[in-house]
Amino acid sequence: MEKLTPAEETAMLTLWRLERGTLGVILEEMPEPKPHYNTLASAFKNLEKKGYVLFRRYGNVYEYYPAVSREQVADRMVEEYFDDSYKNLVTHFAKEQKISADDLREILSMIEKGQ
């Protein structure tokens, strides 16, 4: 899977939340500052080429839906950026103080409970 640009990532986050949609619907649901419609259309063409989205055509309207799940992309990121180690991922966020000791205890509790 090719890496996403920041614009493509924002588009994918919106599409995963919606599950499917036309460019108009997706654009409406995107956070500010919203891209121009043509910019979004180009991003979705790239996302389709990269294998992230599929579409159904209804006349001249395209309805897009994810070809990969958010979890699949997250797993790929752990694989690529953290040597396929969730321990390395958690250690990174702990070192950067982006996760608290309480959060770590809660995660450990969830793991122990099998959640």
Side-chain angles (χ1 to χ4, degrees):
M1 242 183 276
E2 287 186 54
K3 293 180 183 174
L4 299 177
T5 66
E8 291 167 348
E9 185 177 309
T10 301
M12 280 305 302
L13 288 170
T14 304
L15 184 60
W16 280 320
R17 188 168 38 82
L18 294 173
E19 297 180 4
R20 63 182 56 245
T22 61
L23 288 178
V25 169
I26 295 164
L27 182 62
E28 187 176 301
E29 294 297 318
M30 289 186 76
E32 296 291 342
K34 295 179 189 292
H36 187 275
Y37 183 91
N38 292 340
T39 302
L40 184 62
S42 294
F44 269 88
K45 284 180 185 176
N46 291 334
L47 288 166
E48 194 266 327
K49 288 177 189 173
K50 290 179 178 182
Y52 283 87
V53 300
L54 298 170
F55 63 87
R56 288 196 180 99
R57 185 175 176 184
Y58 301 99
N60 63 351
V61 176
Y62 292 83
E63 180 184 54
Y64 293 93
Y65 56 96
V68 295
S69 70
R70 193 173 179 163
E71 292 76 15
Q72 287 172 302
V73 174
D75 286 344
R76 180 189 57 80
M77 290 178 73
V78 170
E79 187 178 297
E80 288 182 16
Y81 294 108
F82 298 99
D83 299 323
D84 204 14
S85 169
Y86 286 90
K87 179 181 173 185
N88 290 347
L89 170 80
V90 173
T91 301
H92 166 76
F93 288 109
K95 282 182 183 175
E96 297 294 319
Q97 298 180 352
K98 294 182 180 181
I99 189 169
S100 70
D102 288 340
D103 288 339
L104 289 171
R105 281 190 279 280
E106 185 178 339
I107 291 167
L108 183 57
S109 176
M110 291 170 65
I111 292 169
E112 288 171 347
K113 292 177 183 176
Q115 295 180 338

